[in-house]
Amino acid sequence: YVNTMVIPPKTGDMEIDMARKIDSMTKTEKVVGLLVSDPESETSDLSNSDKAIFSDLLSLLYSDNGISDENPDAWHEQSKDLTFYSLYAKLEEIIERGKNVSGGSQFLKDHQLEDVIAFRNSLMVYFKKGAANEHWFKSPISLNDYLKSKDVIFNFGMGGVSESAIDKKQLALRQMFASHLTMLKAARNRLNNVRTVVFVEELQRYIKHRDSSNIVATMISGGRKLGMVVYLITNAPSELVHAADGSSPLVEKNASTILGNISMWLIGALTKTDMDDLINYYDLEDASGYLDELVDIRQNNRKNAPLKNCFYLKYKGYQTILKVVSHPMLEGLPIYSTTQSKINTDMRTTDQVSDSKLKTSLS
């Protein structure tokens, strides 16, 4: 998990630095909202009552640790030891000791005790010692290690378990944290004039769910100003198209945002249904001849067809056919090989290839 309670260190960019505290509070609110919400509901936003309780609770905790708008230079240092357990402990302290707690008297004036207890009970399963899901927040990711890394893969398969067998909240949390880390890296990269490239594989799996569809929509709509380039990869585009005009209101809105912000299309051999949906949605009738040939290759397994290994590419009004091939000698290069991971036997990893070995293979 990512400890959003900690306010990140300064970056040197005034716009980013002044928003660090608000951003941490907003991210933490989203995590708490997901925890207390019904996974089948249309939204994971906190109710007005719970939002007021959370906001005052977090403000009290920050105040206890000397964090205020007057000392932005000290935000990171004074928040670095806070966790979600700190937030829960403050809540328990107010309930148990009431007016004898710093800020407790005003807090209990502003909020009904039964509402505060109900809010506490919703969080208890995650943060009370010995609770069923206490382990969800036991292992924080090191932000320093993450920000230093160049290539990162977020895997939501969770050790080979299918998504249908995974707790929906746990999956949504992991995706939320991955999104937070990605945007954080993109912001840091922008300061160094480095673009952040993101590949979202199996897009159709994200678009069906309330929280994950919102994450992709946010990356698409908000990542561009951070210099983020997002590639959306799917072998079932019809599911995305239909989600934009037939799912729940929130998923429908997110799907429409995603589809409306796509600026380049790279289309390979698809089924007739998938191809027709793309042609109709994006007005690709002028390329239907080529696209139908790609369908024929897929459905009739035409290995020697002229457009075998070809993709239709459209970008800013320009369109072409792109053929993707590689020389047979490249297939044996160590840079392409993977081996079983020694850390996690359910995963595979790339070989460690030295520059000299790679150069020898290429030569």
Side-chain angles (χ1 to χ4, degrees):
Y1 88 99
V2 180
N3 188 3
T4 58
M5 294 285 296
V6 178
I7 301 172
K10 294 178 70 174
T11 65
D13 184 308
M14 182 66 72
E15 182 181 355
I16 294 175
D17 290 343
M18 292 310 296
R20 288 174 298 143
K21 180 168 172 275
I22 290 295
D23 189 52
S24 290
M25 296 177 75
T26 301
K27 293 289 195 314
T28 303
E29 180 186 325
K30 287 184 178 297
V31 172
V32 172
L34 196 152
L35 294 178
V36 304
S37 69
D38 180 350
E40 302 300 333
S41 68
E42 286 296 328
T43 178
S44 59
D45 294 339
L46 290 169
S47 66
N48 289 337
S49 173
D50 285 347
K51 187 170 185 176
I53 291 172
F54 165 80
S55 179
D56 287 349
L57 183 66
L58 185 56
S59 294
L60 274 179
L61 186 63
Y62 276 170
S63 177
D64 288 349
N65 287 271
I67 301 168
S68 69
D69 292 340
E70 285 71 43
N71 64 344
D73 290 344
W75 283 349
H76 175 66
E77 187 66 26
Q78 293 178 316
S79 67
K80 68 179 183 179
D81 294 323
L82 297 178
T83 68
F84 288 96
Y85 295 99
S86 307
L87 190 70
Y88 181 77
K90 181 68 177 180
L91 185 61
E92 281 280 27
E93 189 180 23
I94 290 174
I95 292 174
E96 292 176 2
R97 296 176 54 203
K99 298 178 180 179
N100 297 321
V101 176
S102 170
S105 179
Q106 186 61 46
F107 188 89
L108 292 175
K109 281 184 180 179
D110 294 338
H111 308 287
Q112 296 292 327
L113 181 59
E114 56 266 30
D115 292 338
V116 176
I117 292 174
F119 184 68
R120 185 276 310 272
N121 291 345
S122 297
L123 297 177
M124 186 182 294
V125 68
Y126 306 100
F127 303 115
K128 185 177 180 179
K129 188 173 182 179
N133 294 333
E134 185 191 13
H135 61 285
W136 284 18
F137 293 87
K138 280 295 186 183
S139 303
I141 290 173
S142 168
L143 289 182
N144 288 334
D145 290 345
Y146 166 74
L147 290 173
K148 290 177 183 177
S149 60
K150 181 180 179 182
D151 302 310
V152 182
I153 298 174
F154 296 110
N155 174 34
F156 304 117
M158 299 189 185
V161 179
S162 67
E163 287 189 14
S164 60
I166 296 170
D167 186 293
K168 287 185 178 181
K169 286 189 177 182
Q170 190 176 24
L171 176 61
L173 270 176
R174 291 199 177 202
Q175 292 177 335
M176 181 185 292
F177 290 140
S179 172
H180 173 62
L181 288 172
T182 301
M183 301 298 274
L184 188 63
K185 181 178 278 290
R188 295 304 192 280
N189 284 347
R190 187 187 71 165
L191 296 177
N192 297 317
N193 294 318
V194 174
R195 286 190 178 274
T196 305
V197 181
V198 178
F199 295 87
V200 181
E201 294 201 52
E202 302 288 355
L203 176 64
Q204 72 278 4
R205 293 187 179 183
Y206 289 80
I207 211 63
K208 299 174 186 175
H209 303 291
R210 173 195 70 188
D211 300 293
S212 55
S213 66
N214 192 47
I215 286 170
V216 177
T218 300
M219 281 188 179
I220 292 292
S221 60
R224 190 176 293 114
K225 66 181 181 181
L226 297 177
M228 186 186 295
V229 180
V230 183
Y231 288 88
L232 305 173
I233 305 169
T234 179
N235 59 3
S238 291
E239 294 188 32
L240 178 60
V241 171
H242 294 314
D245 52 22
S247 298
S248 66
L250 182 61
V251 171
E252 184 177 337
K253 177 183 177 182
N254 289 332
S256 297
T257 298
I258 293 169
L259 288 169
N261 279 277
I262 294 174
S263 58
M264 182 179 76
W265 297 262
L266 190 63
I267 304 173
L270 296 170
T271 64
K272 178 67 172 171
T273 299
D274 283 328
M275 194 68 82
D276 285 347
D277 281 341
L278 287 179
I279 290 173
N280 292 332
Y281 195 90
Y282 286 114
D283 298 325
L284 302 176
E285 285 81 3
D286 59 341
S288 59
Y290 291 106
L291 296 175
D292 285 341
E293 285 193 52
L294 295 179
V295 169
D296 185 46
I297 291 171
R298 164 71 179 272
Q299 298 193 161
N300 296 303
N301 194 26
R302 295 181 56 206
K303 296 182 179 179
N304 298 315
L307 294 188
K308 181 69 175 177
N309 300 321
C310 286
F311 291 82
Y312 166 76
L313 174 64
K314 183 175 182 180
Y315 179 63
K316 291 185 176 179
Y318 297 94
Q319 49 190 338
T320 189
I321 294 294
L322 176 69
K323 188 156 190 171
V324 181
V325 295
S326 62
H327 194 282
M329 288 185 65
L330 297 178
E331 295 177 5
L333 285 181
I335 196 171
Y336 290 112
S337 63
T338 62
T339 58
Q340 188 169 353
S341 171
K342 295 179 181 179
I343 300 174
N344 184 344
T345 56
D346 293 321
M347 301 281 288
R348 296 186 68 81
T349 182
T350 56
D351 281 330
Q352 293 295 320
V353 183
S354 65
D355 288 345
S356 59
K357 184 177 180 182
L358 181 58
K359 289 176 182 176
T360 300
S361 300
L362 288 171
S363 62

